[in-house]
Amino acid sequence: MDRIRDDVPPAVRAVYGPQDLSSAPAFAGGFINFGHWDGIPLDRPLTVEDRVRSQRNLYRRVLGTLDGAGTRAVEAGCGLGLGAALALEEFGFASVTGLDVHPEQLERARRANAGLLARTPRRLGFAHGAAERMPFEDGRFDRLYSVEAAQHFRDLAAFAREAARVLRPGGRLAVSSFFLPAGAEDAGGELAARLESFASGLDVAHPLVSLLDALDSAGLADVRAESVGDQVWPGLDRFLSGIDLPVQWPRNFLPAYRDGLLDYYVVTAERPPTPNA
């Protein structure tokens, strides 16, 4: 078995492999993220269409930070590749390579995007690899983004070094995920008690500062983080309240956010341009 697959924790391998999280009603539409609910009224019953819109909106929120028109990008943790297709079709990226550690997800991504792959094979591609060990040459990409995958990364410092390596000078990065905010860096045990995804090892309780410090140490500049939790957790919980969940612990994300144990962020940075000779 290849080393990359051996390094994937069992809970992560199961959820994104045979269990196929993209088929769960909570992730209707296949984007596999918690969503950005800005502009979606929460004072009425939420529909599957609202849920899909929220997930697309999260990608739009992240991609909108990158000024990606005409650029070559890589998505770390691409899942079914629907966000990569959105980057091409709505934001005018020249090309996107979706990177994922799960072979099953890549097979699903190729099926889900078969039409786009057939029409524009030079613009969309998929590669097997870990965010901490990307199978690309130095400086290959203008942009790197990752939407709700960093909570699965085991080594943020390795991810940051790889991001800096594969970005060209002047390249830009955007990452969205949920992290422990300032003052709650030791809340991993409490999160594990409330949320099975942390208890099982599916999610890692990374403090936000760990990612920010890792990006800075890797030589990236203008490292910034913006909290968007108020646009994520209330809408997600409102949607979950209206569907038949097989387990109830996902309803604990909103209370954990309100208690200051975790938050959702969009983090951006850039690789400094090469100084003029």
Side-chain angles (χ1 to χ4, degrees):
M1 183 178 294
D2 76 53
R3 182 182 167 194
I4 292 174
R5 190 165 175 82
D6 284 345
D7 288 347
V8 179
V12 181
R13 186 182 303 128
V15 166
Y16 292 97
Q19 293 180 20
D20 185 11
L21 187 62
S22 66
S23 66
F27 294 99
F31 283 87
I32 322 179
N33 68 60
F34 287 165
H36 191 281
W37 297 82
D38 186 38
I40 301 174
L42 303 184
D43 59 352
R44 57 166 173 77
L46 295 174
T47 66
V48 170
E49 290 74 19
D50 292 323
R51 182 69 181 100
V52 175
R53 179 183 169 191
S54 80
Q55 295 176 90
R56 294 176 71 88
N57 281 349
L58 183 59
Y59 266 94
R60 292 176 178 125
R61 177 66 180 78
V62 173
L63 295 171
T65 70
L66 289 176
D67 188 22
T71 65
R72 300 164 301 164
V74 58
E75 179 179 355
C78 68
L80 270 65
L82 302 185
L86 189 152
L88 293 172
E89 295 172 339
E90 289 194 18
F91 287 81
F93 283 61
S95 66
V96 177
T97 299
L99 176 71
D100 206 283
V101 75
H102 307 282
E104 298 94 338
Q105 287 289 67
L106 293 173
E107 292 174 9
R108 296 176 187 124
R110 293 184 180 103
R111 291 196 298 269
N113 294 281
L116 186 57
L117 285 167
R119 293 193 304 274
T120 58
R122 293 175 181 258
R123 296 189 67 206
L124 179 63
F126 295 101
H128 180 221
E132 300 92 339
R133 290 193 309 281
M134 299 188 199
F136 309 117
E137 65 271 19
D138 296 357
R140 176 170 172 178
F141 299 104
D142 307 301
R143 303 287 186 268
L144 184 152
Y145 66 92
S146 180
V147 175
E148 206 166 300
Q151 75 276 8
H152 303 314
F153 299 167
R154 265 44 198 178
D155 189 339
L156 292 180
F159 163 67
R161 290 192 298 269
E162 282 292 271
R165 182 183 66 80
V166 303
L167 281 171
R168 66 162 176 78
R172 299 175 65 180
L173 166 149
V175 173
S176 73
S177 192
F178 43 97
F179 298 92
L180 282 61
E185 289 87 354
D186 297 324
E190 179 64 20
L191 286 176
R194 298 189 186 199
L195 294 160
E196 176 60 26
S197 59
F198 288 96
S200 69
L202 175 63
D203 296 329
V204 180
H206 291 304
L208 174 67
V209 68
S210 296
L211 177 59
L212 304 184
D213 287 350
L215 295 172
D216 182 70
S217 295
L220 297 177
D222 197 22
V223 179
R224 303 184 184 188
E226 180 181 354
S227 167
V228 295
D230 60 340
Q231 297 299 329
V232 174
W233 307 115
L236 172 70
D237 192 72
R238 181 75 176 84
F239 177 77
L240 294 179
S241 71
I243 65 174
D244 184 18
L245 287 173
V247 292
Q248 289 302 306
W249 64 261
R251 299 290 309 279
N252 291 336
F253 274 102
L254 179 59
Y257 163 64
R258 288 178 171 165
D259 290 343
L261 301 178
L262 82 168
D263 199 353
Y264 205 105
Y265 298 91
V266 176
V267 176
T268 55
E270 67 176 34
R271 181 176 172 185
T274 301
N276 293 328

